[in-house]
Amino acid sequence: MTSATLLFLVIGLGLVAWFFGRLKASGMQASGETSRSALHSLPNYHGWYVALWAIVPAAIFMTIWNFVSPALITDAALTSAAAAGLPQDSFSRAAILSEARAIAYGNQTNAFNPLSQSMVEPYREAIAYYQMIGTVAALLMVFACGVYAWLQIKPDLRARTKIERVTMLILLLASLIAIITTVGIFLSLVFESARFFSMVSPIDFLFGTEWNPKAVAGPRGETGFGAIPLFWGTVFIGAIIAMIVAIPLGLMSAIYLTQYAPAKFRAWMKPILEVLAGVPTVVYGYFAALTVAPALRDFAVSIGIAGASSESALAAGVVMGIMIIPFVSSMADDSIAAVPSAMRDGSLAMGATHSETIKKVLIPAALPGVVGGVLLAVSRAIGETMIVVMAAGLAANMTANPFSSVTTVTTQIVQLLTGDQEFDSPKTLAAFALGLVLFIVTLLLNLIALRVVKKYREAYE
Amino acid sequence: MNDDLTMQEASESANMTDSAPTDMASEASTPKMTARNVNVFYGDKQAINDVSIDVNMDNVTAFIGPSGCGKSTFLRCMNRMNDTIPIARVTGDIQLDGDDIYAPKMDVVQLRARVGMVFQKPNPFPKSIYDNIAYGPRIHGLATGKEELDNIVESSLQRAGLWGEVKDRLHDSGTALSGGQQQRLCIARAIAVDPEVILMDEPCSALDPIATAKIEELIHELRGKYAIVIVTHNMQQAARVSQKTAFFHLGTLVEYGETTDIFTNPREEKTRDYITGRYG
Ligand SMILES: Nc1ncnc2c1ncn2[C@@H]1O[C@H](COP(=O)(O)OP(=O)(O)OP(=O)(O)O)[C@@H](O)[C@H]1O
Ligand SMILES: [Mg+2]
C-alpha cells in the first residue's frame, strides 16, 4: 500500500472514530438528568477528541517512517545475494543503487547498467516488506490510540478544552510556517554567501566598481565582482527615478481622492487604483521595453544627447514609478484619511482655504504615514525584477545619465542563475551574495517603515 | 460700493473697540449678527426649523437645549462651517453687520476669519504652540515681520490667559499641553486672527472643573471685545457666563431672552421643565 492510500485510509478511520466517539458521548448525554449537567462538552467535541487521537499519532509515525524507511530498504537490499557483485567504489555503487531504486518504484523502465537490473528484485522485496510493516504499524496505531481515546470518554472529560488547545496549536503551526520558511531562505542565503566570500573578499564585492563575472579568471584569482555599479543602478532606478515619478503623482492623487473627489468618483477610483497594483509586472515590463524605451531613445537622440541607449534607466524607472503609484497613493490616502477631521475643521474655521488646509495641516500631520508608505514603495521598487530585466539592460555602467543603460541587482541575479551553471563557481554563488544584500536592505527598509507608520498611528490614538 | 462701505465701517468699529472700550455701549445696540427664519436640512431631514435670533456685541449668548436639538447645527451656520457637510442645506437669512453671509459675493474664507470657532474637543494642530497661534495670522497676512508676528502670538496667548504657562516653551508641540491648556490654546488661536465673533461649541465638556473655571473666567474677560456665542449642556455654566440665553428644542427656538429671566422666570413650560431637570 502506498503512503498516499494509507493516509486516506487513516483519515477515513479517523472519521469512523469520530462517529464512535460522538455516539458514545451522545449515549451518555441522553442517560443524564439534564443534557447540561451530564456532559462537560458537547458530543461533537468528544467525536473530534477520538478522531484526533486516531489520526495524529499515526500521521506523525507515517511522516517519520517516510524518512527512515528508505535507509532501511537500502540496507536490506544490500544484504541480498545480488549485492555481493557490486563494485566497491562508492560513487558507482551509489549510481547503481539509485537506478535500481528508480526501477523498483516504477519511475524508470529499464536499466543502463546490468548490475542495476540485478538489484531491482532485492529492492522490490525490501520495499514490499517495509511498506507492509509501515502499514500495519500505522493501522495498529490508529486502532490503539482510537480505542484509548474512546475509553477515556466520560461525562467529565474536558474534550472541549482539549480541542481548543489543539486548534490553537494548529493555528500556531500555520503562522510559524511562513516565518520558518523565511528563516530557512535567509540561512541558505547566508551559507551560500559565506562560500562566495571565501572565494571573493567582501570588501572587493561591496566596494569594487568593476562588475564583469564572465571574465573571471579562476579560483582565488577572482576579479570583476565589484557590485557598486549594480547597487548604483538599483538605487538610480528604484529609489530615484521611480520615486520622482511615484511620490508626487501618488500624493496628488491621494489628495484629490480624499479631499476633493465626490464620494461617487472616489468609490470608483480607489478600487481601480488598487486593481492596478495587481497588474503582473511583466506587463509593465514589456510596456517599458517596447513602448517607453524606444520613445525615450528617439527623444534623447532628437535633443542631441550622446550615449542614448534603447535600454535606459529612465524607461525602466519611469514605468516602475507608474507601477508604484497605486501603492504610494493608497498609503498616503490612508494616512490623510486618518488625520482627525477636527484638524481640518479647526483650520477651515480659522479662515484657511481648502488647499491651505491640505498643505499646512493635513500633509504635515499625515507626513510620517506618507514617509512610511514611500519607504515601503522603495523597498518594493528595488526588489522589482521583471521591468528592469526587460528594460534596463545588462551593462554595469556607473552613470547618472538617465538615458544610458544601467543594470540592477535583481537583473544580475537573473543573469547569473539562468543558463548553464555550476553550483560552486563564484559566478553562481555571487547571485546568493547579491540576494543577501537585497534581502537585508529591503528588510531594513520595511522595518523602518513599519516603525514610522506605527509611531504615527499611535500619535492619533 | 455698498459692500466696501460696510467693510470700512466694520474695521473702524473694530479699531474703536480696541482703543476705546467705553464707546462700546453705543455700538452694542445694533446686533452684530442677525438670523431670520433659518432652516437647516441634512438631506431630507430638517434639523433647524425657522429660527430667528440676534447676537449682540456686549453679550455672551448661551445656546442650551437637549442633545440633538440642533445647537451645533445652528452654530455652524453662523460661520458657514456647514458648507463642509455635503448634504447640509441652509435657507433663510443670516447677516453679519448687515451683510448676508450666504450671499454669493460673501467670501467664506473672510467670513470665517471674522467669525471664529472653538470646538468641543480641543483640536490644536500637531505643530508647536507658536505655530498654532501664528497659523491664522500667517495665512491671512496679518503680520508683516517676525516681530509683529511675535507680538500677535504673545498678545493672543496673554488674552487667553495662557502666556504665563507656556512662554518658556513656545516651540514645544501644542498637542503636548493638558486638555484645558489645549482648549485655551485653541481660543488663543481663534483670537489671533482678530475676529469679531467667537462661536464656542461646548468648549468645556472635555475638561475638568478647574480647567472649566479658567475658561469661564476667560470668557468673562473676552466679553465686550468679541461677540461670544457658547453652546453648553451645563445650566450653571450658562447662568454664570451668559447674559442672553436661547433654549432650543427639536430644531426650534423655544425661548430667547435675558439669562436671568430664562433661569428664574421662563415664559415657556418646556423651558422650565428643561431647566429644572425634569426633561432631557
Ligand atoms: N452631519 C450630519 N449629517 C446628518 N445629520 C446630522 C449631521 N449633524 C447633525 N445631524 C442631525 O441634526 C440634528 C441636530 O444635531 P446637532 O449636532 O446640531 O445637535 P446638538 O444640539 O448640537 O446636540 P448635542 O448637544 O448632542 O451636541 C440631530 O438630529 C442630528 O442627528
Ligand atoms: Mg453639539
Side-chain angles (χ1 to χ4, degrees), chain A residues 108-437:
Chain A
Q108 193 175 322
T109 43
N110 35 8
F112 293 104
N113 192 326
L115 276 173
S116 303
Q117 197 62 52
S118 71
M119 284 300 291
V120 169
E121 235 358 83
Y123 248 113
R124 283 215 174 108
E125 275 164 22
I127 288 170
Y129 177 66
Y130 280 106
Q131 249 178 12
M132 199 199 47
I133 290 187
T135 307
V136 170
L139 292 180
L140 274 179
M141 249 170 143
V142 170
F143 280 112
C145 297
V147 168
Y148 166 76
W150 189 78
L151 288 176
Q152 291 239 305
I153 294 182
K154 284 184 214 81
D156 61 351
L157 173 69
R158 310 199 158 215
R160 194 174 166 193
T161 326
K162 292 189 166 146
I163 296 293
E164 183 68 25
R165 219 170 294 152
V166 174
T167 314
M168 191 211 67
L169 259 173
I170 292 173
L171 297 179
L172 176 70
L173 273 181
S175 65
L176 281 183
I177 284 179
I179 295 175
I180 291 172
T181 315
T182 315
V183 170
I185 293 174
F186 181 70
L187 287 181
S188 92
L189 279 178
V190 168
F191 286 128
E192 301 295 334
S193 305
R195 283 171 67 195
F196 174 72
F197 288 129
S198 70
M199 300 180 213
V200 177
S201 121
I203 308 278
D204 290 349
F205 174 73
L206 288 176
F207 301 107
T209 54
E210 204 208 315
W211 179 262
N212 192 5
K214 292 213 178 85
V216 167
R220 305 277 149 200
E222 282 81 4
T223 55
F225 281 114
I228 287 283
L230 313 191
F231 297 152
W232 164 245
T234 307
V235 169
F236 192 37
I237 291 181
I240 299 178
I241 299 178
M243 289 306 134
I244 287 175
V245 174
I247 293 175
L249 291 180
L251 204 54
M252 286 193 266
S253 92
I255 290 170
Y256 178 73
L257 284 181
T258 52
Q259 300 301 317
Y260 290 98
K264 251 198 172 143
F265 183 74
R266 179 177 156 86
W268 277 96
M269 226 20 220
K270 230 189 143 196
I272 288 178
L273 263 179
E274 273 153 19
V275 165
L276 277 188
V279 172
T281 57
V282 68
V283 175
Y284 284 109
Y286 63 68
F287 173 61
L290 301 183
T291 313
V292 179
L296 282 175
R297 193 224 14 237
D298 294 346
F299 170 73
V301 168
S302 75
I303 61 170
I305 290 177
S309 149
S310 65
E311 294 180 318
S312 66
L314 193 58
V318 165
V319 174
M320 195 186 282
I322 290 170
M323 182 190 89
I324 298 281
I325 287 175
F327 207 69
V328 174
S329 134
S330 119
M331 289 292 292
D333 189 319
D334 289 347
S335 2
I336 293 175
V339 177
S341 60
M343 293 290 134
R344 193 174 91 138
D345 286 353
S347 170
L348 291 175
M350 303 279 309
T353 63
H354 203 155
S355 69
E356 282 166 348
T357 301
I358 292 168
K359 203 168 61 197
K360 300 203 164 144
V361 175
L362 290 185
I363 303 268
L367 197 62
V370 174
V371 169
V374 167
L375 288 182
L376 284 180
V378 170
S379 102
R380 253 198 80 160
I382 65 176
E384 163 54 34
T385 312
M386 245 16 251
I387 294 176
V388 283
V389 167
M390 294 172 83
L394 297 172
N397 291 325
M398 286 265 277
T399 170
N401 174 2
F403 291 103
S404 78
S405 153
V406 300
T407 192
T408 69
V409 173
T410 49
T411 315
Q412 288 303 317
I413 293 179
V414 171
Q415 279 301 306
L416 293 170
L417 290 185
T418 47
D420 290 339
Q421 48 188 312
E422 312 140 50
F423 257 99
D424 38 11
S425 79
K427 179 172 163 264
T428 310
L429 291 175
F432 289 97
L434 288 175
L436 184 67
V437 172

Side-chain angles (χ1 to χ4, degrees), chain B residues 67-73 75-76 120 201-202 231 233:
Chain B
S67 186
C69 66
K71 308 178 294 289
S72 301
T73 301
L75 198 69
R76 290 166 65 88
Q120 175 168 4
D201 192 351
E202 302 183 38
V231 172
H233 276 167

Side-chain angles (χ1 to χ4, degrees), chain A residues 30-163:
Chain A
S31 66
E33 303 279 270
T34 66
S35 63
R36 194 164 179 81
S37 62
L39 274 181
H40 170 268
S41 313
L42 290 176
N44 220 355
Y45 284 111
H46 288 94
W48 282 116
Y49 177 72
V50 179
L52 284 173
W53 261 109
I55 295 175
V56 174
I60 293 173
F61 165 76
M62 280 161 65
T63 316
I64 296 172
W65 187 248
N66 251 328
F67 284 106
V68 175
S69 62
L72 293 175
I73 290 171
T74 308
D75 279 349
L78 284 176
T79 57
S80 70
L86 288 180
Q88 286 308 305
D89 161 33
S90 72
F91 187 73
S92 45
R93 208 177 151 96
I96 289 167
L97 287 181
S98 86
E99 201 173 26
R101 192 168 35 224
I103 296 171
Y105 276 113
N107 297 340
Q108 193 175 322
T109 43
N110 35 8
F112 293 104
N113 192 326
L115 276 173
S116 303
Q117 197 62 52
S118 71
M119 284 300 291
V120 169
E121 235 358 83
Y123 248 113
R124 283 215 174 108
E125 275 164 22
I127 288 170
Y129 177 66
Y130 280 106
Q131 249 178 12
M132 199 199 47
I133 290 187
T135 307
V136 170
L139 292 180
L140 274 179
M141 249 170 143
V142 170
F143 280 112
C145 297
V147 168
Y148 166 76
W150 189 78
L151 288 176
Q152 291 239 305
I153 294 182
K154 284 184 214 81
D156 61 351
L157 173 69
R158 310 199 158 215
R160 194 174 166 193
T161 326
K162 292 189 166 146
I163 296 293

Side-chain angles (χ1 to χ4, degrees), chain B residues 72-271:
Chain B
S72 301
T73 301
F74 187 71
L75 198 69
R76 290 166 65 88
C77 290
M78 297 173 71
N79 68 345
R80 290 185 57 179
M81 280 302 282
N82 274 339
D83 292 10
T84 62
I85 301 169
I87 56 166
R89 192 161 53 84
V90 180
T91 66
D93 182 57
I94 302 180
Q95 295 186 346
L96 172 64
D97 284 335
D99 293 328
D100 180 4
I101 66 170
Y102 281 88
K105 68 173 183 215
M106 172 58 75
D107 179 5
V108 189
V109 165
Q110 212 114 54
L111 168 70
R112 289 182 190 149
R114 292 170 66 190
V115 183
M117 191 161 204
V118 175
F119 296 82
Q120 175 168 4
K121 241 185 96 196
N123 59 347
F125 304 130
K127 301 169 179 287
S128 72
I129 294 170
Y130 184 96
D131 287 337
N132 261 284
I133 309 290
Y135 184 80
R138 277 189 183 131
I139 54 177
H140 295 296
L142 297 185
T144 46
K146 171 92 173 89
E147 209 167 309
E148 209 177 334
L149 194 59
D150 287 350
N151 287 337
I152 293 179
V153 170
E154 180 174 344
S155 68
S156 307
L157 283 169
Q158 230 142 22
R159 280 198 202 177
L162 196 60
W163 177 250
E165 288 158 68
V166 301
K167 65 171 185 285
D168 299 324
R169 46 176 181 146
L170 286 177
H171 296 281
D172 288 4
S173 171
T175 50
L177 295 172
S178 77
Q181 289 172 326
Q182 287 189 13
Q183 195 62 300
R184 278 180 286 150
L185 180 67
C186 292
I187 295 176
R189 187 174 73 182
I191 292 173
V193 289
D194 201 17
E196 297 152 44
V197 183
I198 300 178
L199 311 172
M200 301 185 180
D201 192 351
E202 302 183 38
C204 301
S205 65
L207 306 180
D208 69 56
I210 293 173
T212 301
K214 282 210 172 127
I215 303 265
E216 287 180 8
E217 204 176 299
L218 173 58
I219 292 172
H220 268 300
E221 269 154 37
L222 298 179
R223 179 192 159 201
K225 303 193 186 83
Y226 312 94
I228 294 175
V229 182
I230 175 171
V231 172
T232 177
H233 276 167
N234 182 332
M235 295 303 124
Q236 285 84 9
Q237 182 170 66
R240 280 193 301 262
V241 302
S242 72
Q243 289 72 48
K244 293 263 195 172
T245 297
F247 171 61
F248 286 80
H249 182 248
L250 294 178
T252 56
L253 177 61
V254 175
E255 190 168 348
Y256 178 46
E258 297 293 324
T259 299
T260 44
D261 289 347
I262 297 266
F263 279 93
T264 55
N265 190 17
R267 271 177 285 121
E268 301 284 331
E269 194 67 26
K270 274 185 196 152
T271 317

